[in-house]
Amino acid sequence: QVQLVESGGGLVQPGGSLRLSCAASGSIFRINDMGWYRQAAGKQRELVATITSGGSTNYVDSVEGRFTISRDNAKNTVYLQMNSLKPEDTAVYYCNALVTDGYLRTGDCWGQGTQVTVSS
């Protein structure tokens, strides 16, 4: 079984920064794409950013230039550096990974979510 554990959320003022981390653990053969999603109150979950195992990245337009996704393959960890935060970035942020486990089964894994609140 593979688990994703997020950390780094919290309360920050507009214009501030936060760094989210998500560590994968368990029976892991390979981690393929990783990403961050978010869900604001009353809204659908949306993709924020993705990163392939080779390091190629993709961002939703609303965070382009402000957020940076990165990963440390040796630590099975993905990060989301969030700068110039806006109140509309307030949401629960979820980590996602496409994981091949020790039995060579591939499937989507999700973290439990971490709250990010941008408010003065």
Side-chain angles (χ1 to χ4, degrees), residues 49-95:
T50 61
I51 184 167
T52 68
S53 57
S56 297
T57 59
N58 184 56
Y59 299 91
V60 67
D61 287 347
S62 60
V63 308
E64 185 81 53
R66 300 188 297 120
F67 291 10
T68 302
I69 188 171
S70 61
R71 64 190 285 173
D72 184 333
N73 291 329
K75 295 181 179 180
N76 291 332
T77 299
V78 63
Y79 306 96
L80 186 67
Q81 178 66 45
M82 305 184 292
N83 298 328
S84 302
L85 282 161
K86 304 175 181 180
E88 51 263 44
D89 294 318
T90 296
V92 178
Y93 284 70
Y94 297 90
C95 173

Side-chain angles (χ1 to χ4, degrees), residues 2 19 26 28 42 46 56-58 61 63 73 80-81 101 103 107 112-113 116 118-119:
V2 177
R19 189 191 194 210
I28 298 170
E46 67 168 350
S56 297
T57 59
N58 184 56
D61 287 347
V63 308
N73 291 329
L80 186 67
Q81 178 66 45
D101 68 14
Y103 296 97
Q112 80 285 358
V116 172
V118 185
S119 175

